[in-house]
Amino acid sequence: MLFKNVQVHGATGSLVTDVRVKDGMVADAGTGPDTEIIDGSGLGLVAVVPATRKDQGHMVGRVEPGIPADLLLVPRGSMPRLGTPWWRVIVGRTDLRALLTRGRVVIRDGEPLDRPANPDGARIGVWVDQNDWLHQELLPQGRYDETRGGRRHAYTGRYWLDGDRIDYLDDSGFYAFGEFIGDQLFHAEFVMRRQARP
């Protein structure tokens, strides 16, 4: 896969370049056969990279050769800033042009592609923030239902797990992301723990 003329955060600032993905990794932009070419004109590409400390999960990072191709493609004006924790990123459905996980496209032009929501069912349950204000229920069929400040069904939608990362597509039309770090779920400004079953 080749992203042509896409803006990335480079070591010396922002630049427009070509980015090649091969075998699940970001490769050098040299020549070679590509199965798919995506015109990145007007678009920005950022990487989802491990944070400097393992207990901080992932963050928005530079797109560099040799890293796993966990990439987000959005309009340049919607590019999240370098260093933003991944679980704080929110993107409008129509702005999300592509999301790649280990080089595999899982969202294209705002539409989720076929993938299992919760392959092993390990994260199913109700997750509650420290102030008992947010209750997020991850349901077995790949749906979530949030209660916020006592208001039931405040946000509902679909979710997908990729390892410790979680992608949300809200019914109201935006994508948000989260991450399980240890026994906690980080999402937006919330840190949640799974509620004990009665």
Side-chain angles (χ1 to χ4, degrees):
M1 176 179 296
L2 179 66
F3 295 92
K4 299 270 306 162
N5 301 315
V6 69
Q7 181 173 334
V8 298
H9 299 299
T12 59
S14 183
L15 68 136
V16 175
T17 188
D18 295 344
V19 174
R20 176 168 277 116
V21 172
K22 184 176 181 184
D23 299 326
M25 304 292 282
V26 174
D28 288 324
T31 60
D34 292 295
T35 56
E36 182 176 9
I37 297 176
I38 296 174
D39 180 10
S41 300
L43 302 176
L45 191 67
V46 297
V48 184
V49 300
T52 52
R53 287 186 13 213
K54 188 175 181 178
D55 64 345
Q56 294 175 326
H58 288 78
M59 64 181 194
V60 174
R62 291 185 178 94
V63 178
E64 301 173 313
I67 66 169
D70 294 331
L71 305 171
L72 175 69
L73 181 68
V74 293
R76 288 181 185 171
S78 300
M79 288 175 71
R81 294 167 61 182
L82 280 175
T84 300
W86 181 241
W87 41 271
R88 288 192 180 265
V89 174
I90 297 175
V91 179
R93 184 175 188 165
T94 58
D95 282 341
L96 203 156
R97 303 300 173 82
L99 179 66
L100 282 73
T101 298
R102 293 176 298 281
R104 183 173 58 95
V105 178
V106 295
I107 300 170
R108 168 59 68 72
D109 294 326
E111 293 300 319
L113 302 181
D114 189 33
R115 63 179 165 150
N118 193 341
D120 62 8
R123 309 289 191 177
I124 292 170
V126 177
W127 295 80
V128 180
D129 80 313
Q130 298 149 327
N131 298 317
D132 199 36
W133 190 82
L134 171 69
H135 293 216
Q136 183 183 87
E137 185 173 10
L138 299 179
L139 300 162
Q141 69 275 27
R143 299 273 309 161
Y144 68 90
D145 190 338
E146 288 186 3
T147 297
R148 290 187 178 219
R151 185 169 61 106
R152 296 184 46 78
H153 316 299
Y155 289 97
T156 60
R158 297 159 62 190
Y159 75 91
W160 298 267
L161 294 174
D162 281 305
D164 287 335
R165 296 199 312 258
I166 182 169
D167 304 337
Y168 302 93
L169 172 54
D170 195 78
D171 291 339
S172 65
F174 65 88
Y175 279 95
F177 306 96
E179 186 157 16
F180 296 92
I181 303 172
D183 63 351
Q184 298 177 315
L185 170 55
F186 289 72
H187 167 60
E189 69 271 18
F190 300 102
V191 179
M192 299 172 271
R193 291 188 184 272
R194 187 165 14 203
Q195 189 174 58
R197 294 185 178 155

